[in-house]
Amino acid sequence: MVKKEEDVFDKKLVMINQRFNEQDFTSLSSKELDILFSLLYLARWRSYTEGTQIKNLKTLANIKRTDLNALERQFNNVRDFLNDGKFGIFKNLRFDKERRTFSYELNRDKKYLFDKENAVGRKEYLTIFNLDVFTSIKSKYEKNIYRILIVYSGSGWLKINRNQFLKAIGFPKSYNKRQETYKLKECLKNLDYLFPGIEIDEVRGIIREDDYFYIKWNNQKMRKINKLDC
């Protein structure tokens, strides 16, 4: 039986080209990350929207206690982030505080970023995660960890360069190595309900090899836990 588009839309799955997910998101706050990926979720289904109520975006992004002025600042920070990036996904992304609406137009040549078949044809990958799961994570650090780990959820493990991983998470630059490791373990512990039994080992590189992290978890029922079934 073919699933209706509305049914798949209701699954709240964000699908975006892996190359986009490899950007540096550390300048964005937790709520700004929620706004960003809510917009990307919408763009997957609607290449154009005009005068859509802000309350709809707040609902998608799971934002409950933010006043309109703060929300406008967060929205504009996301807009600036997207404008500064190399992908240029949207045209005319704007927030109308008086009308309490937002609008955007998807650049036609960026539709490939949301296209499964195109990704396969280009031998590229899509990052896929459930928007409701993502917005339920409170910490920006944990959101950035989640973005990376969810790509490897089915394998149950990941080996990743230590410095690259920490840079992608965005811990304060004032942290020393011990503080980084402590905070990382704390974040992973908080994500245990999404990656059951998650563990991390820090391995020192030999000779010319950089230090790396080996992270593993129980990948049984990962799709159900993370609401990835579509």
Side-chain angles (χ1 to χ4, degrees):
M1 180 177 178
V2 178
K3 295 181 181 179
K4 295 181 179 179
E5 181 174 293
E6 298 82 19
D7 294 336
V8 180
F9 180 83
D10 288 341
K11 292 293 185 180
K12 299 279 187 71
L13 292 184
V14 175
M15 293 188 181
I16 190 70
N17 191 285
Q18 176 64 13
R19 291 190 295 118
F20 181 87
N21 193 43
E22 291 169 355
Q23 290 188 105
D24 184 349
F25 295 90
T26 58
S27 64
L28 298 177
S29 69
S30 178
K31 287 184 179 179
E32 288 164 359
L33 286 167
D34 292 338
I35 292 170
L36 169 64
F37 285 104
S38 294
L39 289 170
L40 294 176
Y41 165 73
L42 284 174
R44 178 188 167 204
W45 299 99
R46 300 169 183 167
S47 59
Y48 172 84
T49 185
E50 178 70 34
T52 301
Q53 293 293 310
I54 287 294
K55 66 181 180 180
N56 295 336
L57 180 61
K58 288 180 66 176
T59 299
L60 268 182
N62 194 24
I63 296 174
K64 299 175 181 177
R65 295 187 176 89
T66 300
D67 64 54
L68 198 60
N69 290 329
L71 187 61
E72 181 183 33
R73 288 194 300 272
Q74 292 160 353
F75 186 97
N76 289 339
N77 285 341
V78 171
R79 179 200 62 199
D80 293 343
F81 170 83
L82 288 168
N83 288 342
D84 290 340
K86 63 181 180 179
F87 288 98
I89 295 175
F90 296 108
K91 295 189 293 185
N92 305 318
L93 179 59
R94 60 185 184 274
F95 185 106
D96 190 326
K97 186 167 65 174
E98 292 185 3
R99 292 184 173 85
R100 296 178 179 246
T101 62
F102 71 98
S103 306
Y104 68 76
E105 181 179 353
L106 180 66
N107 274 320
R108 290 184 179 180
D109 62 346
K110 302 303 178 184
K111 290 183 179 181
Y112 78 90
L113 292 170
F114 309 91
D115 190 335
K116 272 186 179 180
E117 294 181 3
N118 186 280
V120 172
R122 296 163 66 112
K123 296 183 179 179
E124 296 177 343
Y125 297 93
L126 291 176
T127 297
I128 303 174
F129 58 81
N130 184 284
L131 184 62
D132 286 342
V133 172
F134 185 78
T135 60
S136 72
I137 301 169
K138 301 305 180 184
S139 161
K140 64 173 283 185
Y141 307 131
E142 290 163 21
K143 287 181 191 291
N144 283 326
I145 293 171
Y146 184 84
R147 284 189 307 100
I148 298 168
L149 296 189
I150 197 63
V151 176
Y152 305 92
S153 59
S155 68
W157 65 275
L158 168 65
K159 176 184 175 181
I160 189 168
N161 179 282
R162 182 189 190 279
N163 291 335
Q164 290 178 359
F165 190 48
L166 293 175
K167 181 179 180 181
I169 297 169
F171 291 144
K173 293 181 179 179
S174 60
Y175 278 14
N176 58 37
K177 190 172 183 178
R178 185 175 180 180
Q179 289 172 316
E180 287 174 336
T181 301
Y182 177 84
K183 185 65 176 179
L184 176 57
K185 289 182 177 180
E186 181 181 66
C187 290
L188 292 177
K189 182 178 179 181
N190 291 337
L191 291 173
D192 181 79
Y193 71 105
L194 298 172
F195 297 86
I198 193 164
E199 297 178 359
I200 184 170
D201 289 319
E202 185 171 350
V203 182
R204 294 183 63 85
I206 301 173
I207 307 176
R208 295 182 180 179
E209 186 181 35
D210 293 333
D211 295 352
Y212 64 89
F213 291 123
Y214 179 75
I215 307 171
K216 62 180 180 179
W217 55 88
N218 184 345
N219 64 343
Q220 293 183 359
K221 300 183 179 179
M222 280 295 299
R223 295 188 63 81
K224 182 177 181 181
I225 293 171
N226 287 276
K227 301 180 181 179
L228 293 175
D229 291 321
C230 58

